[in-house]
């Protein structure tokens, strides 16, 4: 339970992070964040820990008593969107390209997409944000070991380093708690097939 996920919002209620229950309690206790209930009311640590725990509430035992588990916390002072670097990973390339083949423009499940070197490695192409795109199997076959211009193909958009957005805070394994849904309207999370957790 202490390692399960909590959504972190900035002061403007924009999702900026996913953290653990343990870390969320640290933020609350330090006065850096407030917990949010299902009525969108915010609570500091003393008022949150004084809430009664009923049968339907998730709770943890802290210093000898049961305290409700917050599923969403809001940072008290932080009002920006993090200028965090997006890790160069297979999953994040899928996120950047929205699981769309960058040659034919059609969406595919991740399992049906390859990562393609735009300029093939055999022609000096690097493994970087600027040179890797999602490609479906037929487009990949058609392109073979060529550059797009050599294969008579065009990229849907020029690949580059993505700017951070909330999509990158989630991994495919991140369960979405129902308490998060009202705050995730900036994310098309059904698109990502993220698992909604009761
Ligand atoms: Zn394609």
């Amino acid at each position: 339970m202490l390692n399960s996920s909590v959504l972190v919002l900035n002061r403007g209620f924009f999702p900026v992070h996913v953290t653990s229950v343990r870390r969320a309690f640290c933020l609350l206790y330090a006065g850096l964040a407030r917990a949010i209930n299902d009525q969108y009311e915010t609570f500091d640590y003393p008022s949150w820990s004084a809430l009664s725990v009923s049968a339907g509430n998730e709770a943890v035992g802290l210093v000898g008593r049961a305290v409700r588990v917050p599923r969403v916390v809001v940072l008290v002072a932080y009002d920006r969107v993090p200028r965090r670097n997006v890790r160069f990973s297979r999953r994040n390339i899928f996120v950047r390209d929205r699981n769309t083949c960058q040659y034919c423009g059609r969406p595919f499940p991740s399992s049906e997409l390859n990562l393609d070197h735009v300029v093939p490695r055999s022609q000096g192409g690097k493994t970087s944000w600027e040179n890797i795109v999602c490609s479906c199997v037929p487009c990949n076959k058609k392109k073979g070991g060529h550059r797009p211009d050599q294969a008579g193909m065009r990229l849907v958009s020029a690949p580059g380093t993505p700017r951070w957005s909330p999509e990158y805070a989630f991994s495919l394994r991140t369960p979405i708690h129902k308490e998060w849904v009202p705050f995730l309207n900036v994310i098309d999370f059904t698109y990502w097939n993220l698992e909604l957790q009761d």
Side-chain angles (χ1 to χ4, degrees):
M1 180 67 89
L2 283 172
N3 292 321
S4 63
S5 306
V6 176
L7 184 68
V8 182
L9 309 176
N10 72 10
R11 203 173 59 173
F13 279 53
F14 185 84
V16 292
H17 197 41
V18 174
T19 193
S20 65
V21 169
R22 188 187 307 276
R23 176 76 187 137
F25 271 119
C26 291
L27 291 169
L28 285 176
Y29 195 73
L32 297 172
R34 295 168 70 88
I36 299 180
N37 71 0
D38 55 4
Q39 306 296 311
Y40 312 130
E41 296 164 321
T42 68
F43 298 82
D44 60 12
Y45 182 76
S47 57
W48 180 261
S49 59
L51 292 177
S52 62
V53 177
S54 58
N57 298 135
E58 297 177 291
V60 287
L62 290 181
V63 287
R65 57 188 304 264
V67 175
R68 272 200 218 181
V69 169
R71 282 296 166 204
V72 184
V73 299
V74 56
L75 295 168
V76 171
Y78 190 81
D79 57 8
R80 285 171 296 172
V81 174
R83 221 178 281 172
R84 202 179 291 147
N85 286 335
V86 178
R87 194 163 64 88
F88 181 61
S89 69
R90 191 178 170 80
R91 147 83 183 152
N92 286 344
I93 294 164
F94 290 142
V95 173
R96 181 197 65 182
D97 292 349
R98 301 193 74 81
N99 273 48
T100 300
C101 170
Q102 294 299 291
Y103 295 105
C104 65
R106 290 163 57 204
F108 291 89
S110 303
S111 60
E112 292 175 30
L113 285 168
N114 291 318
L115 298 185
D116 174 67
H117 283 78
V118 178
V119 176
R121 272 187 292 193
S122 59
Q123 297 188 38
K126 296 210 169 66
T127 302
S128 65
W129 282 117
E130 291 73 26
N131 196 47
I132 298 276
V133 295
C134 290
S135 167
C136 70
V137 175
C139 288
N140 211 240
K141 281 215 173 103
K142 184 178 169 201
K143 183 167 174 282
H146 301 101
R147 293 196 313 261
D149 59 309
Q150 294 166 331
M153 298 168 82
R154 289 188 59 179
L155 284 166
V156 170
S157 56
T161 306
R163 285 168 53 147
W164 190 88
S165 70
E167 278 95 339
Y168 295 104
F170 298 92
S171 75
L172 287 175
R173 292 253 176 87
T174 308
I176 304 293
H177 293 277
K178 63 182 186 309
E179 294 88 344
W180 298 4
V181 173
F183 303 102
L184 294 182
N185 54 1
V186 293
I187 299 177
D188 186 1
F189 63 93
T190 52
Y191 183 87
W192 295 112
N193 218 1
L194 293 167
E195 200 180 325
L196 190 63
Q197 179 139 315
D198 289 328

